[in-house]
Amino acid sequence: MKRGKRFPWSWRDEPARNIDRYIVSIYNKKDKQTEKGGHFVQEKEISQAVIRRMPRYYRYLGELLDAGVERISSNELSRRMDVTASQIRQDLNNFGGFGQQGYGYNVKYLHEEIGKVLGLNERHNIIVMGAGNLGQALANYMKFEKHGFVIIGLFDVNPALDGMTVRGIRIHMLDELERFCADHQVDIAALTLPKERADAIANRLVGLGIHAIWNFAHVDLKLIDHDVVVENVHLSDSLMQLSYNIVKQKRAKGQTE
Amino acid sequence: MKRGKRFPWSWRDEPARNIDRYIVSIYNKKDKQTEKGGHFVQEKEISQAVIRRMPRYYRYLGELLDAGVERISSNELSRRMDVTASQIRQDLNNFGGFGQQGYGYNVKYLHEEIGKVLGLNERHNIIVMGAGNLGQALANYMKFEKHGFVIIGLFDVNPALDGMTVRGIRIHMLDELERFCADHQVDIAALTLPKERADAIANRLVGLGIHAIWNFAHVDLKLIDHDVVVENVHLSDSLMQLSYNIVKQKRAKGQTE
């Protein structure tokens, strides 16, 4: 593989420019063909498939950091992550490369840069709609905070839960939602409520200016405003995929019928 | 589009043969080129991307069934699911088509057949490793049972939980695991425990004959036996994808910096 293809720029002297280029490329979305060799890079539409892999890179690099590893080659990262080295280089080149031939990747730097790409350098306040088991499980899970995701309130309609707290986070009644959103910056709403209520609540949240929804309700949300970012976690779908693969493997082994 | 391509067989007179063909095609995995026009179909490797979409078809068809809809065209299904009609036909053709030109899809039949493809006509017994908030949330979630996924026990190391029940399902201590697995058929183990413990427990489960793991621990499992089917639910990764899309949209709108 040619050097120019793998590492379009050298970052040795200018580590801070990498993410800036990325930001610039987003700013200049309509301007497909920009200056070459300058501060602008050619705009690429980054596929959600690439984005889905980024948190995994971030996780592995975090583990390497914790283990005191300072730099890593794409081959070694490839071995650990069970992804081809070429895939790693392609994925990271979407954001400007981050690597340097003969040196490999600086673990701390790459971890930070991917964190910025994923928006983990900003704080995200979350409210959880539905204080049932799943809602409480999310509120109890402390590790989200490490990455800047802070749950600041839960909401439910069950009066028995009014004023109770989960790990110090208060459960509010649904009719307090408007006031709460006026008093607090809310970036993300997690929906852990029955699917029948999901659309109405989601549109109410969007009306309050919340443009990101982490949806656990087993339904594809029908939103009036299409600028809302939705990330679905459909647990039943996940179980069904598992089940498909179980059946497939059993049949391959000839264990059934 | 040519008729032959869209609907390779007519199912009017033989609705039961469809899934049989699929099974046969799995049985004859090594036999890539099989009889045409007979009971065998040409073997296709079905991508996980297709499989990921099947639970969604199943969900929509279930909703249509509940609403009393008996048949639906791929165009109408396309409109409701926000997927192209051509994508729907391609996806379903992986399993033999299920459709009929001029008639569309028989909702009940298609729902049942996709259910079979996904293994939902079989019962799957699940144990949950880790009876913390998330483990209890899974045990409390009744809708999995509707699709044949039945949680039959939880396991933990916290003696304070010993003998307690969640929705009638007992929490056992970890040292009872071997005996429990000898006494019960266990098809799937859900891991809702700290990532540090996940590999050891997963390999212990595999040693007990459990070959399917629904992994909520924030780690890619390192399993000794590679025949194990693993389905990951990485909640932090999902939040990070959401966060990426938030940042991307903010930048596109020019709201930041």
Side-chain angles (χ1 to χ4, degrees):
Chain A
M1 192 174 272
K2 278 183 290 180
R3 187 176 194 278
K5 194 169 178 194
R6 278 167 63 186
F7 306 114
W9 309 283
S10 160
W11 301 113
R12 191 187 291 273
D13 305 314
E14 40 183 3
R17 277 177 56 192
N18 199 5
I19 187 68
D20 293 339
R21 276 213 177 88
Y22 167 66
I23 294 170
V24 165
S25 77
I26 292 284
Y27 269 117
N28 291 279
K29 199 145 195 174
K30 285 160 200 154
D31 204 289
K32 287 275 176 194
Q33 193 73 41
T34 50
E35 281 181 55
K36 275 184 186 165
H39 278 265
F40 295 156
V41 294
Q42 193 173 341
E43 173 63 22
K44 276 187 196 170
E45 188 63 37
I46 296 159
S47 77
Q48 288 293 316
V50 174
I51 299 311
R52 267 199 296 276
R53 290 194 288 269
M54 297 308 278
R56 193 160 172 261
Y57 287 112
Y58 186 78
R59 177 151 45 91
Y60 272 78
L61 290 162
E63 286 169 12
L64 288 168
L65 257 189
D66 290 345
V69 177
E70 287 182 10
R71 68 178 190 180
I72 192 164
S73 65
S74 56
N75 285 332
E76 174 61 15
L77 193 58
S78 149
R79 199 188 57 74
R80 287 179 183 247
M81 292 186 63
D82 202 16
V83 176
T84 66
S86 135
Q87 169 92 80
I88 290 177
R89 286 188 293 261
Q90 269 178 40
D91 281 350
L92 299 183
N93 272 348
N94 278 297
F95 304 99
F98 302 125
Q100 217 171 318
Q101 199 164 38
Y103 177 86
Y105 296 105
N106 176 316
V107 173
K108 183 164 181 285
Y109 173 65
L110 183 54
H111 185 253
E112 278 174 10
E113 293 301 305
I114 293 181
K116 285 182 203 167
V117 166
L118 292 171
L120 307 183
N121 53 331
E122 295 175 22
R123 175 179 163 136
H124 300 274
N125 287 339
I126 302 180
I127 56 173
V128 177
M129 307 304 295
N133 287 282
L134 184 56
Q136 293 195 24
L138 294 181
N140 264 305
Y141 195 68
M142 284 180 295
K143 292 197 178 158
F144 298 142
E145 283 177 17
K146 195 179 143 193
H147 303 303
F149 300 100
V150 185
I151 296 177
I152 58 169
L154 296 102
F155 288 83
D156 208 293
V157 289
N158 180 355
L161 297 172
D162 192 9
M164 289 179 70
T165 60
V166 181
R167 201 169 57 89
I169 305 160
R170 190 169 158 191
I171 302 176
H172 303 264
M173 291 296 96
L174 187 57
D175 56 18
E176 299 168 57
L177 181 64
E178 280 68 18
R179 186 163 177 175
F180 187 93
C181 290
D183 292 345
H184 300 82
Q185 159 134 13
V186 180
D187 304 299
I188 299 171
L191 300 192
T192 65
L193 35 75
K195 65 176 181 177
E196 294 74 18
R197 301 185 64 101
D199 276 335
I201 295 286
N203 280 306
R204 185 166 158 190
L205 291 161
V206 172
L208 293 168
I210 300 169
H211 282 82
I213 294 178
W214 198 23
N215 177 41
F216 290 80
H218 199 218
V219 66
D220 297 323
L221 297 173
K222 286 177 192 69
L223 297 174
I224 297 161
D225 183 337
H226 291 286
D227 268 351
V228 179
V229 177
V230 178
E231 175 72 25
N232 292 307
V233 181
H234 290 322
L235 293 179
S236 295
D237 289 13
S238 160
L239 254 188
M240 289 180 192
Q241 284 166 52
L242 181 58
S243 159
Y244 169 82
N245 284 313
I246 292 170
V247 173
K248 183 180 150 190
Q249 190 161 73
K250 271 193 195 165
R251 282 173 183 154
K253 282 186 183 170
Q255 284 177 354
T256 52
E257 301 195 33
Chain B
M1 190 175 273
K2 276 185 294 182
R3 187 176 193 282
K5 194 168 182 195
R6 279 168 61 186
F7 305 113
W9 308 283
S10 159
W11 301 114
R12 192 187 291 272
D13 305 314
E14 39 184 3
R17 278 174 57 192
N18 199 3
I19 186 67
D20 293 337
R21 276 213 176 91
Y22 168 66
I23 294 170
V24 165
S25 78
I26 292 286
Y27 269 116
N28 291 281
K29 199 145 195 176
K30 286 161 201 154
D31 203 289
K32 286 274 174 192
Q33 191 74 40
T34 52
E35 281 182 57
K36 276 188 188 165
H39 277 265
F40 295 154
V41 291
Q42 191 171 345
E43 173 65 22
K44 275 185 198 172
E45 187 62 36
I46 297 158
S47 77
Q48 288 292 317
V50 175
I51 299 310
R52 268 200 296 277
R53 289 194 288 268
M54 296 308 276
R56 193 160 173 261
Y57 288 113
Y58 187 78
R59 176 150 47 92
Y60 272 78
L61 290 161
E63 285 168 14
L64 287 170
L65 257 189
D66 290 344
V69 177
E70 288 184 9
R71 70 179 189 179
I72 192 163
S73 66
S74 56
N75 284 332
E76 173 62 14
L77 193 56
S78 149
R79 198 188 56 76
R80 287 181 183 247
M81 292 186 64
D82 203 15
V83 176
T84 66
S86 135
Q87 169 91 79
I88 290 177
R89 288 188 293 260
Q90 268 179 41
D91 282 349
L92 299 182
N93 273 349
N94 278 296
F95 303 98
F98 303 126
Q100 216 171 318
Q101 199 164 35
Y103 178 86
Y105 297 105
N106 176 317
V107 173
K108 184 164 180 285
Y109 173 65
L110 183 55
H111 185 254
E112 277 175 12
E113 293 301 304
I114 293 181
K116 286 183 202 165
V117 166
L118 292 171
L120 307 183
N121 53 333
E122 295 175 22
R123 176 180 161 135
H124 300 274
N125 287 339
I126 303 180
I127 56 173
V128 177
M129 308 303 296
N133 288 282
L134 184 56
Q136 293 194 25
L138 294 181
N140 264 305
Y141 195 68
M142 285 181 293
K143 293 201 178 156
F144 298 142
E145 284 178 16
K146 194 181 145 192
H147 303 303
F149 300 99
V150 185
I151 296 177
I152 59 170
L154 295 102
F155 288 83
D156 208 293
V157 290
N158 179 358
L161 297 172
D162 192 9
M164 289 178 71
T165 60
V166 180
R167 200 167 58 89
I169 306 160
R170 190 168 157 192
I171 302 175
H172 302 264
M173 290 295 98
L174 187 58
D175 56 18
E176 300 169 56
L177 181 65
E178 280 69 17
R179 183 161 180 176
F180 187 93
C181 291
D183 292 346
H184 300 83
Q185 158 134 13
V186 179
D187 304 299
I188 299 171
L191 300 192
T192 64
L193 36 75
K195 64 177 183 176
E196 295 74 19
R197 301 184 65 102
D199 276 336
I201 295 285
N203 280 306
R204 184 165 159 190
L205 290 161
V206 172
L208 292 167
I210 300 169
H211 282 81
I213 294 178
W214 198 23
N215 177 41
F216 289 79
H218 199 216
V219 66
D220 297 324
L221 298 173
K222 286 176 193 68
L223 298 173
I224 297 161
D225 183 337
H226 291 284
D227 269 352
V228 178
V229 177
V230 178
E231 174 73 24
N232 292 306
V233 181
H234 289 323
L235 294 180
S236 294
D237 289 14
S238 159
L239 255 189
M240 288 179 194
Q241 284 165 52
L242 181 58
S243 158
Y244 169 83
N245 285 313
I246 292 171
V247 174
K248 182 178 149 192
Q249 191 162 72
K250 270 192 196 167
R251 283 173 184 153
K253 283 185 183 171
Q255 285 176 355
T256 53
E257 301 192 37

